[in-house]
Amino acid sequence: MRALITTKDGSVEFAEVPEPRRTSSELLVQVSASTVARGDLNTARLSPPGSPVGLDVVGTVVVPAADGSGPEEGARVMGYTGARAGGWAEQVALDSSLVVPIPDALTDDVAAALPNSGLAALAGLEAGGFLLDRRVLVTGATGGVGRLAVQLAQLAGAEVTGLVSSPQGRDRLRVFDWLTTASADDVAGPFDLVVDLVGGDVLSQAMSLVAEDGVLASLAQTAPETASVPFFWFAMHPGAKLVSVNNTMGQREAGRGVRRLELLARLAQTGRIDPHVTGAASWEEAPDLLAALGARELDGRTALRIS
Ligand SMILES: NC(=O)c1ccc[n+]([C@@H]2O[C@H](COP(=O)([O-])OP(=O)(O)OC[C@H]3O[C@@H](n4cnc5c(N)ncnc54)[C@H](OP(=O)(O)O)[C@@H]3O)[C@@H](O)[C@H]2O)c1
């Protein structure tokens, strides 16, 4: 089958690859759409040449899981590949714990933008516990994960601030009611929860903004530089926690991943969250789209149509 794989110069190219091998809990999906996210850029840049790419999947089940779990043959589904990727291919194997049927009303383009980013946003927010009336800071708020984190935190009743890197970023977030936007210079803590989607200097600065007993959930290394711990952070923030969060954590336990994907699909279908899909392109254009993402030229998610 045809698939995009990583190249030695940090991009992707087409190759003929074998049909994916499956365990008994995995189903085979004919892929119709994916999306272009920062995680895909990381795969292209950091994985050995020849590695599979693509974290988000929308498609149709062609072979159900042998153990009977998950959606049936012919079901239209969305799912998350986990770290092993492989969604930028004609077919992909997905574990039944990370794939759900989706309603016709949810378009391929929107559904494809939900799994990876939505699970990450939920995992980051979960680190803060009960969010009603809590002060939440989301860094990288203009990004795909950031926008969903902002919306999900607002739905949970939090008082949300989105950190932006430029005045243009502030304009891009004006669509959200009740959202306070702040630049690095004017953001005012303390926050009960910081969901950091940038890393580097932003993470270093965010550590100073966490409340005593607050939580800083670190999900990202978008910025190139290494974060540093502010002087006497532990003394100034007794009880504060810095936790590393991964969107695959615990998703296979007790149907958690499935429930979360169903929640994301329901919220998007009813218009309560919007993953901000601003365009769609053929997967033939994937190398150019990755380059544009790396140059911070993409605003919103671009759906990738796989044929
Ligand atoms: N831990 C997990 O399980 C998990 C899961 C999914 C994603 N992630 C990570 O989460 C991060 C966000 O993912 P995404 O898909 O939302 O990325 P994205 O759509 O590319 O958004 C990146 C965001 O970071 C900002 N940004 C980029 N470089 C920056 C810099 N040097 N300094 C300050 N801000 C910068 C961008 O601001 P501008 O708009 O101004 O460029 C944008 O708001 C990525 O690092 C990704 O790998 C982690």
Side-chain angles (χ1 to χ4, degrees):
M1 66 169 190
R2 206 162 170 242
L4 283 162
I5 57 168
T6 56
T7 62
K8 61 177 183 308
D9 60 355
S11 186
V12 294
E13 65 184 5
F14 282 101
E16 277 300 319
V17 302
E19 182 180 300
R21 294 223 304 264
R22 284 171 292 121
T23 65
S24 62
S25 64
E26 288 175 344
L27 34 91
L28 187 67
V29 172
Q30 184 74 31
V31 184
S32 54
S34 183
T35 194
V36 185
R38 180 75 43 171
D40 303 309
L41 186 63
N42 292 341
T43 308
R45 286 177 172 172
L46 303 174
S47 300
S51 301
V53 195
L55 301 168
D56 292 298
V57 173
V58 172
T60 305
V61 177
V62 285
V63 184
D67 66 4
S69 60
E72 296 175 349
E73 182 182 349
R76 182 167 167 265
V77 294
M78 74 175 195
Y80 177 52
T81 63
R84 71 181 180 173
W88 292 4
E90 289 174 328
Q91 296 190 330
V92 66
L94 291 178
D95 194 275
S96 59
S97 62
L98 287 169
V99 55
V100 294
I102 49 173
D104 292 343
L106 199 58
T107 65
D108 272 18
D109 294 351
V110 170
L114 294 173
N116 164 42
S117 300
L119 290 174
L122 285 170
L125 295 174
E126 184 184 20
F130 190 63
L131 295 183
L132 181 64
D133 285 339
R134 310 287 275 176
R135 294 195 72 204
V136 174
L137 176 70
V138 177
T139 72
T142 51
V145 181
R147 280 174 181 266
L148 287 174
V150 163
Q151 294 170 76
L152 290 162
Q154 287 184 320
L155 283 173
E159 185 189 320
V160 188
T161 300
L163 190 72
V164 293
S165 62
S166 65
Q168 291 80 1
R170 191 168 254 149
D171 289 342
R172 280 150 56 191
L173 294 182
R174 283 201 203 284
V175 290
F176 297 115
D177 285 342
W178 307 111
L179 177 70
T180 304
T181 54
S183 63
D185 295 333
D186 64 19
V187 62
F191 293 94
D192 302 301
L193 171 66
V194 178
V195 178
D196 177 50
L197 300 167
V198 179
D201 291 343
V202 171
L203 171 56
S204 310
Q205 187 185 17
M207 288 184 73
S208 303
L209 300 170
V210 186
E212 284 187 21
D213 294 324
V215 174
L216 196 164
S218 162
L219 282 89
Q221 184 64 73
T222 312
E225 68 279 355
T226 302
S228 58
V229 178
F231 197 65
F232 271 112
W233 183 73
F234 52 88
M236 306 298 286
H237 301 81
K241 293 186 191 67
L242 171 61
V243 295
S244 100
V245 172
N246 188 305
N247 62 3
T248 55
M249 278 164 39
Q251 304 292 17
R252 290 185 167 80
E253 289 157 22
R256 217 160 148 217
V258 165
R259 280 199 308 280
R260 285 173 185 218
L261 289 171
E262 285 173 347
L263 173 70
L264 291 164
R266 199 163 59 243
L267 292 176
Q269 191 205 340
T270 52
R272 282 177 286 173
I273 58 170
D274 177 359
H276 193 53
V277 178
T278 50
S282 159
W283 66 332
E284 309 283 339
E285 294 176 47
D288 292 341
L289 291 167
L290 283 180
L293 182 65
R296 298 172 71 176
E297 288 166 0
L298 286 188
D299 176 27
R301 283 286 188 242
T302 302
L304 207 59
R305 295 187 178 156
I306 314 261
S307 52

